[in-house]
């Protein structure tokens, strides 16, 4: 199973969250439990995700999208991220991102 574990500052508190895809949506948990306000913030960040590589927007239910959001907008500052499994990659050819 693929999952992403991220540790960083959220509202000035150090937290660790995990993201998994339950087959149709991305689910964020903290200490094994879903936390509604964190899930809501995560979903808001997904809807406003920045482009990867300047031009690519991953599908909103993909683990690549979860990585993008956790790395760039979910936390107050750059988090430490551990990836377990294959989250996909930005489509590219000869250095050009599609």
């Amino acid at each position: 199973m693929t999952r992403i574990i991220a540790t960083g500052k959220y509202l000035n508190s150090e937290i660790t969250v995990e993201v998994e895809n339950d087959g149709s949506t991305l689910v964020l948990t903290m200490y094994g439990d879903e936390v509604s306000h964190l899930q809501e913030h995560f979903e808001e960040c997904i809807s406003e995700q920045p482009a990867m590589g300047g031009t690519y927007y991953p599908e909103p239910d993909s683990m690549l999208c979860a990585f993008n959001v956790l790395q760039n907008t979910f936390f107050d500052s750059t988090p430490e991220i551990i990836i377990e499994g294959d989250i996909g990659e930005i489509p590219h050819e000869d250095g050009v991102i599609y």
Side-chain angles (χ1 to χ4, degrees):
M1 177 185 292
T2 302
R3 72 178 177 160
I4 300 171
I5 303 165
T7 302
K9 292 238 182 211
Y10 175 76
L11 300 178
N12 292 322
S13 294
E14 185 91 5
I15 65 169
T16 298
V17 297
E18 294 183 19
V19 176
E20 295 179 348
N21 188 320
D22 73 356
S24 62
T25 187
L26 298 171
V27 178
L28 183 136
T29 59
M30 186 168 74
Y31 307 118
D33 295 319
E34 288 186 46
V35 180
S36 62
H37 73 278
L38 290 178
Q39 183 70 36
E40 289 172 16
H41 174 63
F42 184 62
E43 290 171 6
E44 182 179 309
C45 291
I46 288 172
S47 70
E48 300 173 0
Q49 72 170 305
M52 295 181 85
T55 60
Y56 178 68
Y57 293 89
E59 290 296 320
D61 61 347
S62 70
M63 292 299 281
L64 192 56
C65 175
F67 173 77
N68 184 27
V69 165
L70 291 171
Q71 183 178 42
N72 294 298
T73 60
F74 182 83
F75 291 99
D76 300 338
S77 58
T78 305
E80 178 183 322
I81 296 178
I82 299 169
I83 298 170
E84 296 179 353
D86 180 15
I87 64 168
E89 59 183 54
I90 300 172
H92 65 283
E93 185 174 315
D94 297 329
V96 177
I97 296 172
Y98 293 97

